[in-house]
Structures are given as structure tokens and as C-alpha cells.
Amino acid sequence: LPPPEPKVQQKSPKKSSSSMPLCDPLGLCQYQTNKLVRIRSVRLGSLKWSLNGAILLFICVMMLWNRKYQEFDLVVSSVTTKVKGVAQTRLPGVGNLVWDMVDYSGPSQDKNSFFVVTNVIITRSQKQGKCPEVPHKGRVCHTDNNCEKGAWDQQSHGIQTGSCVRFDAMKKTCEVSAWCPVEAKTTPPRPALLGAAENFTVLIKNNIRFPAFNFIRRNILPQMNDAYLRSCHWGSDPLCPIFRLGDVVREAGEQFSSMAVEGGVIGILIEWDCNLDRFMHRCLPKYSFRRLDEKESNRTLYPGLNFRYAKYNLVNGVEERTLYKAFGIRFDVMVFGQAGKFSFIQLIIYIGSTLSYYALTTVFIDWLIETSCYSAEVGQNYSERKVESVPDTQQCILYVSYIDETKLRLVKRSHKKSLQDVKPMSVQERREDARHLGAVLFLLQPAVGVDQDAAPAPAPKGRRPSWCRCGGCSASSLLQEQLCCRRGDGVCITSSPLFEKLVLRRPLLEAVLLHRDPLWAPAGGAGGAILRQCAYEQYISWRLGILPSDTQPAIPSCCVGRITAAFPSPDGADKEPLSSTSTSDALTTCHSN
């Protein structure tokens, strides 16, 4: 077989931008697909399907676990509470006092919350009048000049009269117009007076609705009757809506007896996670508890929770009141949740969004092949077949081969140095073309000798250039043409009998051309140009082998001169010294802007 045609980039005339169509309507009727490379390997195939199976399993588990096939709606709810319990306390100077739900629930309740009094400071029999202010934080005086009439501040219990009066045997304070006697005690008693509130119970009624599905439910389930609600409590039944306050505080991680002294805030969280599909219907409340305020007295100002209220009455026609500073626990009921129902649109969206996960298999296997973890030879072959590089016209990569070196050099064109002196970017092994070698062995006759058809080597004209090492190169003003066949001084490659047989032998070149075109025949001067181009290609295939698609071969000056002498142009251009005109079709160079 004749040798195959090597890859040589041919120059084509530049088309003006005006000749290019601005819009091609037929381009819309085209379909393009990505280039794929198939590798027959049991290991890679097994790895691929294992990874795809793992990704599919992960997608299915996440879809079922998070119910990604459903459409969701957020809950809309309302909450009402009812606290029950009775406690008896003994107050100094008052005696035994029974507290029912009216007494310990406070004056009012906020939305979705309720308050339970656990401790109290009582100031009895207060009347409108004048009395000494409590000596708190330096509020003492010595004379009337220390008291300003009409003055007050945020810590005052009333308005100053301007007099300095005796508070007790040791201290004097400013007199104020207020409810007298003023509240003197600020520290709550320990233990808490209403520690029995731990056994109080609360019934929480929660109505919910999911507007998107027109679904309504309450936490008092249909199977719960009156007898059930009278006997159940949350501690033994997680669905029971009746809670013991001590259990609620304990589940929040607190101790009721210590929290009852100064009070605090407890959150009761009701979560609705509903599945409204017919075969997997589930919509039940789940309760959890946590403390919402800062409990450490040494880490915050004004710890706990307290407020004041009063009870008024008339004694002998004079209005009196009993002032209560109540400490207690506020329970905030917070409802959140969602409901899901099967939606074909959501299922399609989820499947489409998870298809990109399969790209992880391709990324991982590509990384495995292109690194040394698999095989360096397979990785190089795979990269060359899958990726097609496009060279930059302003910075082309040239392949250079020297007869006294076994490896090929990759160099960049330089505007300051000759191609002979440019340092290589990298050095690579030569890739032999097996088909070309078979054709050489077939076409070469029994022994390698001097061919009578080959033209004699012309003597170089003029003085030997400084960059020439073989003595057969001609001078050239173009830096990209200043290339010799040798790196060091020695015999020129054009003197080799194999050069005569492979590059200059006319029957071999004609056989290659006939192999490409069976009807080819030389026509006048055009035949010499075609043979010359074929000789260039034979040299490239012989000395450089198979080249990457993003590089261009460089032919030494001595070889160009020898080929042009053997196959001259009819116009006599080859009679001139080596120049850009005579080598434009031999030495592949980069186009400059």
C-alpha cells in the first residue's frame, strides 16, 4: 500500500467578511451532537455502572425521604388554651390563701400563649397619700435641700414633695406622693409560693388548615371522646392535648421549682408534617418543648418574667388596693409545618434536576483515565481522540525533528531568534506511523541505493549561514525558515540514500498520488508542484510521524532546497535562494496579524 497522507495544514485564501452571510436561515434546521469516545474495558464499564447505580439509589432514597414528588403547602393555624388547677399558700400577715385559675392566670393572655403565676410579692392596704421613698441605690437625704419638689424618675414610686423625712431609725429619704406604703420588697421569696403549680394542667386546642389542598384538622383527633380526654395526659400518650406543666418544663430541660422563683418563658412547639396521598395518608401533631429566655441571672439583667397588677376595694369610703408583683412562667404555643400531596409536575422537575448528578460519573472516570491512576498510554490516546485543539493564529506550535536526536521538539515561533536557536517548550516521543512503514518496506527495492531518478544534491549558494550545522542550508531572512536538519555539526540528511528513496523518488511519489486519485496524471508544470508537495508530505511522515492536530511541522532549510531542486517550478521561482516564496508550501508557518 502507498504511504498514507500525513496531516499538513494547507493555506487557504482569506475570505472577506463581506462575503460571509450574516444570517443563514437553513442553519436553524440542523442538529448537532457532542463527540463521544467509546472505550472497551471491563473495569471502566463496571465502574461506570456501579457509580450510576449508586447515584440512582441515592436519588431514589432522597426522593422518598424528602418526598420530592409532592407539592407542599404551609400550615395556617389558631390556638386556644385552658389551664386548670387549685393551690393553697400561706402568706405572712395574710394567712392561708387559695389560688384558682382566675388568680394565677394573670390579668390577660396574649395570642397563642398563657401565663401561670408561680411566685408573688404582695403589698397590702395601699392608699393615696404621702410617705417616704424606699432607700434604694443611694436614695437617701439629709435635708430638704436634697429633695426636689415635683421630681421623679424611672425608679420612683411617686412624685417628690420636697421634704426629707425619716424612713426608719437609721435613714432618711425624700417624701413622695404615691400609693402608700410603697412597695419595699424586691427579692422574690424562696422557695416559690405557688410551687404547687407544677401539677396544673393545660388543654391546648389547635386548629390547622392547608389552603392549597382545602384540608382542615385539629389536634383533638376524631377518635378522642370526652372520657378519653378526662383520663389522658401527654406524658403517657404523645397525642393527648392535655399537658402537666411540670412535664412541659422538665421536657424543656429545666427544673420547675427553680424556674418558678423568678419565672421565665417556655415554648411549646407543635409540628404538623402531613402526607395527604391516599395510600400514605398521615397527619398527626408532634409536640416538643424548649426554654426561650435567658435563665442565668449572672449573664443577663432582669432575669425571669414578672409583672404587677392590683385589686381595689373601698374601706370606710376610702379606696384601697392590694398590689401584686407576680412572677411566673409564660408558655408560648408555636405551630409550624407543611403538607404534601403527589404532583406529576414536581416529579418531572425533580427528575430533570437530578439528571445532572450522572455527570459525576463522567467527570470521575475522565479524571481517572487522564491521570496515571489508570494507564498513561490509554489516557494520552483518549485525550487525543476526545479533545480537538484549535491553535492560536498568533502563537502557533511547531514540531521540529533533528537527525541527531531521537525525540521531537515543540517550539513556539519567535520574532527575535531563528527557529534553530529557539528553546523547546517540551520534548516528546515520536509516534511512528505503522502504515507508512509498511508502505516503505513494500516500495523499496531489495537494497537501499542511490536512485537514478533522483536529482543530485545542489551545492549551497553563498556562504554557510551561522545557524546551519550540515552545510547544506541556504541563507534566509525569515527567522521561521532558519532551521537545519541537525542540532550539532555533521552530515546532512539529504545525503542519506533513504532520503533519496522516500522523498525524491518519482515512482514512489506518483504511486502515492495515484493511490489518492486513481485518475491522476501530471499535466505540464502543475505536475512538478504536486510532486514537490507530495515530497514535503513524505518527509513529514518519515521524520515526524503522526502529529497532534494542534501543531504544525517544520521542514529544515536543506531539505526544502533539495526538494525544490528535484521538482522545480516552471516559472523558475526555485532557482532563487531559499526564500518565503519558494518555501511557502513546504514550511508551515503561522500567520501574523
Side-chain angles (χ1 to χ4, degrees):
L1 296 177
E5 179 182 358
K7 299 178 181 179
V8 179
Q9 181 176 350
Q10 301 292 338
K11 294 185 178 180
S12 58
K14 297 183 179 180
K15 296 182 180 180
S16 61
S17 59
S18 59
S19 63
M20 298 298 292
L22 298 178
C23 180
D24 184 10
L26 297 180
L28 301 176
C29 302
Q30 296 180 359
Y31 175 75
Q32 297 178 352
T33 182
N34 295 328
K35 181 179 180 181
L36 300 178
V37 177
R38 179 177 296 170
I39 302 177
R40 298 185 181 274
S41 171
V42 176
R43 289 188 298 170
L44 293 180
S46 302
L47 179 61
K48 168 194 170 183
W49 289 113
S50 299
L51 293 176
N52 286 343
I55 292 174
L56 179 61
L57 179 62
F58 172 78
I59 292 174
C60 294
V61 170
M62 295 303 297
M63 181 181 68
L64 297 177
W65 182 266
N66 296 323
R67 309 204 314 259
K68 293 296 185 178
Y69 56 88
Q70 292 183 334
E71 177 185 2
F72 291 95
D73 187 27
L74 297 179
V75 67
V76 177
S77 73
S78 65
V79 175
T80 57
T81 60
K82 181 182 291 187
V83 183
K84 288 188 177 181
V86 179
Q88 184 177 11
T89 61
R90 182 176 182 82
L91 299 178
V94 179
N96 293 331
L97 185 63
V98 176
W99 296 73
D100 60 12
M101 59 183 303
V102 178
D103 299 319
Y104 57 69
S105 294
S108 63
Q109 296 183 18
D110 297 331
K111 181 180 179 181
N112 295 350
S113 67
F114 61 94
F115 183 85
V116 176
V117 176
T118 57
N119 210 356
V120 67
I121 298 175
I122 300 178
T123 305
R124 301 178 59 84
S125 302
Q126 283 188 324
K127 302 177 183 179
Q128 290 279 352
K130 297 179 180 180
C131 53
E133 180 64 277
V134 176
H136 178 64
K137 293 184 179 181
R139 293 177 177 273
V140 295
C141 62
H142 302 284
T143 63
D144 293 345
N145 294 331
N146 300 129
C147 301
E148 181 182 357
K149 186 177 181 180
W152 67 277
D153 57 36
Q154 295 179 352
Q155 304 297 328
S156 300
H157 291 88
I159 300 176
Q160 295 183 17
T161 63
S163 300
C164 182
V165 297
R166 186 168 296 279
F167 178 79
D168 55 22
M170 301 295 295
K171 299 176 183 178
K172 286 185 175 183
T173 59
C174 294
E175 186 181 52
V176 293
S177 295
W179 285 92
C180 298
V182 296
E183 183 183 54
K185 187 176 181 181
T186 58
T187 304
R190 294 177 181 270
L193 296 178
L194 272 76
E198 182 177 5
N199 296 316
F200 293 173
T201 60
V202 57
L203 170 63
I204 300 178
K205 295 181 287 184
N206 177 212
N207 298 322
I208 65 166
R209 180 172 181 264
F210 295 102
F213 309 123
N214 196 23
F215 181 82
I216 299 175
R217 173 150 290 193
R218 60 189 307 207
N219 65 332
I220 302 178
L221 304 178
Q223 65 269 24
M224 295 180 180
N225 53 27
D226 184 67
Y228 170 83
L229 293 177
R230 289 180 182 275
S231 60
C232 79
H233 63 87
W234 180 84
S236 59
D237 186 354
L239 295 178
C240 181
I242 299 177
F243 303 84
R244 179 175 170 270
L245 299 186
D247 295 338
V248 172
V249 175
R250 185 181 67 254
E251 290 295 326
E254 301 295 332
Q255 187 176 3
F256 191 91
S257 58
S258 60
M259 188 175 182
V261 175
E262 293 182 324
V265 182
I266 295 291
I268 301 176
L269 285 68
I270 306 178
E271 179 183 3
W272 294 86
D273 187 10
C274 299
N275 190 340
L276 303 184
D277 289 338
R278 179 177 300 179
F279 299 104
M280 302 180 64
H281 191 278
R282 184 189 75 255
C283 192
L284 298 174
K286 180 181 179 181
Y287 302 95
S288 59
F289 315 92
R290 66 182 60 180
R291 182 164 185 172
L292 303 180
D293 68 314
E294 178 58 64
K295 66 178 182 179
E296 299 293 339
S297 299
N298 59 346
R299 292 174 57 183
T300 181
L301 294 175
Y302 311 112
L305 179 63
N306 63 80
F307 64 91
R308 291 178 176 84
Y309 68 96
K311 295 181 179 180
Y312 297 86
N313 58 345
L314 290 176
V315 178
N316 298 326
V318 179
E319 185 180 32
E320 294 184 358
R321 75 177 187 182
T322 301
L323 179 64
Y324 295 85
K325 183 178 181 181
F327 300 83
I329 303 175
R330 191 183 75 200
F331 297 87
D332 294 338
V333 183
M334 296 173 286
V335 184
F336 60 97
Q338 63 179 4
K341 197 171 185 179
F342 177 80
S343 172
F344 183 75
I345 295 178
Q346 293 298 323
L347 177 62
I348 296 300
I349 293 175
Y350 176 75
I351 293 176
S353 63
T354 55
L355 289 178
S356 59
Y357 293 165
Y358 288 100
L360 297 175
T361 300
T362 303
V363 172
F364 177 76
I365 295 180
D366 285 353
W367 172 83
L368 187 65
I369 294 176
E370 293 177 357
T371 59
S372 58
C373 299
Y374 186 73
S375 172
E377 183 179 357
V378 173
Q380 182 179 3
N381 189 18
Y382 174 75
S383 300
E384 292 180 355
R385 291 178 178 270
K386 183 177 181 180
V387 180
E388 183 175 355
S389 301
V390 178
D392 188 355
T393 58
Q394 298 185 13
Q395 185 179 5
C396 76
I397 307 301
L398 300 177
Y399 249 94
V400 176
S401 172
Y402 296 108
I403 192 173
D404 50 350
E405 291 184 353
T406 59
K407 296 184 178 181
L408 302 180
R409 295 189 176 205
L410 273 73
V411 299
K412 294 181 180 180
R413 189 188 67 171
S414 175
H415 295 283
K416 298 181 180 180
K417 295 181 180 181
S418 65
L419 189 57
Q420 180 75 16
D421 299 329
V422 175
K423 293 184 179 179
M425 298 170 46
S426 62
V427 179
Q428 297 185 0
E429 295 289 342
R430 180 177 178 272
R431 296 181 58 192
E432 185 70 47
D433 191 342
R435 295 176 301 172
H436 177 74
L437 182 59
V440 170
L441 295 177
F442 177 78
L443 290 175
L444 288 178
Q445 296 302 323
V448 176
V450 179
D451 192 353
Q452 299 299 326
D453 297 332
K461 299 179 181 181
R463 191 176 60 178
R464 172 182 173 180
S466 60
W467 47 267
C468 179
R469 300 292 181 267
C470 67
C473 301
S474 300
S476 175
S477 60
L478 298 179
L479 297 177
Q480 64 268 24
E481 292 184 351
Q482 297 177 4
L483 177 66
C484 184
C485 64
R486 302 185 61 90
R487 190 62 184 168
D489 295 338
V491 181
C492 181
I493 190 176
T494 59
S495 62
S496 169
L498 196 57
F499 183 86
E500 302 284 347
K501 290 286 187 178
L502 290 181
V503 180
L504 301 181
R505 188 183 182 193
R506 182 180 293 269
L508 176 61
L509 301 179
E510 291 178 350
V512 172
L513 295 174
L514 284 172
H515 176 72
R516 299 175 188 172
D517 183 4
L519 300 180
W520 174 83
I530 296 176
L531 291 173
R532 183 171 61 253
Q533 180 64 28
C534 185
Y536 293 145
E537 296 171 358
Q538 286 295 104
Y539 178 84
I540 294 171
S541 179
W542 171 38
R543 293 302 305 158
L544 282 79
I546 301 176
L547 302 180
S549 58
D550 58 346
T551 59
Q552 299 176 356
I555 302 178
S557 172
C558 53
C559 298
V560 173
R562 188 77 166 86
I563 294 172
T564 55
F567 305 103
S569 298
D571 55 0
D574 55 288
K575 296 180 180 179
E576 299 297 329
L578 184 63
S579 64
S580 59
T581 302
S582 61
T583 61
S584 59
D585 56 349
L587 182 58
T588 307
T589 58
C590 304
H591 302 286
S592 59
N593 292 336

